[in-house]
Amino acid sequence: NQACVQCHDTTEPDGTATYGPVHTHHALGSTGSDCMNCHMPHTVYGLLKTIRSHRISNPSATVSLETGRANACNLCHLDQSIEWTARHLNEWYGQPIPEIDADQRETAASVYHLLTGDAGQRAIQVSAMSWPPAQAVSGTDWMPPFLLQGLDDPYDAVRIISHRSLMTIPGWTDFIIDPLGPIGDRDQQVGMAMGEIEKTLQRSPQPSVLFNEAGHFDTTRPDRLLQARNHLNV
């Protein structure tokens, strides 16, 4: 932040620096008040990890929809849709709300990109699910079904990153699977784990992350969204 405010030195009415809550709409000292997290998010993928973009930009729902590039808001608020982001950016900064189709209105942006995106988008999303600030903001109990989906990905890197992220989720640190192992063995382990989730996991209903009114994971929506997947590798 100090590097940024050497030039962006405007102050808020109470005399605090430009990265205070009037500008960021996040508490001073929180993850959301860090300049880098909003303006240089982890949107660059390579070598089995993501790094911060060095193209300094503002979060924009419109740009995300036009390019498929993840935005800073949805890389932290992983359980929220692009429409949620668009509404807040409109309220806070006057950005116009773009036209958004039904799937993206109803589905968390991370889930939508993981299920429909290309290999790079999928790698970025499963990597974000291990980022401690995102886990703290979004919770983690809804993530295992999607990380298991990542373990069934045709792209090796997505499987490796999904496994790494799954190991950070409470209750899954002992889940042993070789993301590069024989496809038959991997499919069997993932299938068994998904079956157990469908039978036992119950949480608060949250349609954006595909937990239905009964609090169970909805397996029909992922199957439909997967039909629209971009199979282009990176």
Side-chain angles (χ1 to χ4, degrees):
N1 285 353
Q2 292 305 315
C4 298
V5 299
Q6 290 179 73
C7 294
H8 300 278
D9 61 354
T10 56
T11 56
E12 299 199 0
D14 61 359
T16 59
T18 177
Y19 52 88
V22 172
H23 172 66
T24 68
H25 298 272
H26 290 75
L28 189 64
S30 69
T31 299
S33 71
D34 285 346
C35 303
M36 289 193 301
N37 287 336
C38 287
H39 299 290
M40 297 175 65
H42 291 80
T43 55
V44 179
Y45 163 73
L47 300 177
L48 302 180
K49 66 178 183 179
T50 58
I51 62 172
R52 292 187 183 280
S53 170
H54 282 58
R55 179 180 179 179
I56 299 171
S57 60
N58 295 323
S60 168
T62 299
V63 170
S64 288
L65 289 167
E66 290 175 349
T67 65
R69 183 172 181 263
N71 66 77
C73 304
N74 290 117
L75 282 176
C76 192
H77 297 271
L78 293 170
D79 58 338
Q80 299 292 347
S81 69
I82 190 73
E83 182 184 49
W84 177 91
T85 294
R87 285 191 284 103
H88 279 82
L89 293 176
N90 173 262
E91 178 185 345
W92 294 345
Y93 307 114
Q95 291 188 17
I97 297 177
E99 185 175 341
I100 304 171
D101 66 34
D103 280 332
Q104 295 203 63
R105 287 198 306 270
E106 297 167 2
T107 311
S110 65
V111 171
Y112 185 83
H113 284 158
L114 177 56
L115 294 174
T116 69
D118 63 32
Q121 290 172 309
R122 302 195 303 270
I124 287 169
Q125 294 302 334
V126 293
S127 179
M129 289 182 182
S130 69
W131 190 38
Q135 291 185 342
V137 168
S138 307
T140 60
D141 62 340
W142 59 271
M143 293 181 181
F146 302 105
L147 293 173
L148 287 169
Q149 177 68 50
L151 280 167
D152 198 35
D153 198 278
Y155 193 43
D156 292 357
V158 176
R159 297 199 304 274
I160 292 170
I161 300 169
S162 296
H163 182 255
R164 185 189 303 155
S165 293
L166 189 61
M167 294 301 96
T168 70
I169 305 297
W172 289 86
T173 55
D174 296 326
F175 183 68
I176 299 173
I177 188 171
D178 182 358
L180 299 180
I183 188 170
D185 294 347
R186 195 174 66 244
D187 285 350
Q188 182 179 23
Q189 288 178 275
V190 169
M192 290 175 61
M194 282 297 296
E196 190 65 22
I197 281 176
E198 290 169 21
K199 287 190 300 184
T200 62
L201 180 59
Q202 188 167 12
R203 64 184 301 279
S204 299
Q206 192 173 3
S208 65
V209 291
L210 312 191
F211 279 81
N212 60 27
E213 293 180 358
H216 291 292
F217 185 65
D218 181 357
T219 58
T220 59
R221 285 177 64 195
D223 289 343
R224 182 175 60 77
L225 290 171
L226 282 169
Q227 299 304 310
R229 171 168 284 182
N230 181 347
H231 291 283
L232 177 68
N233 278 351
V234 294

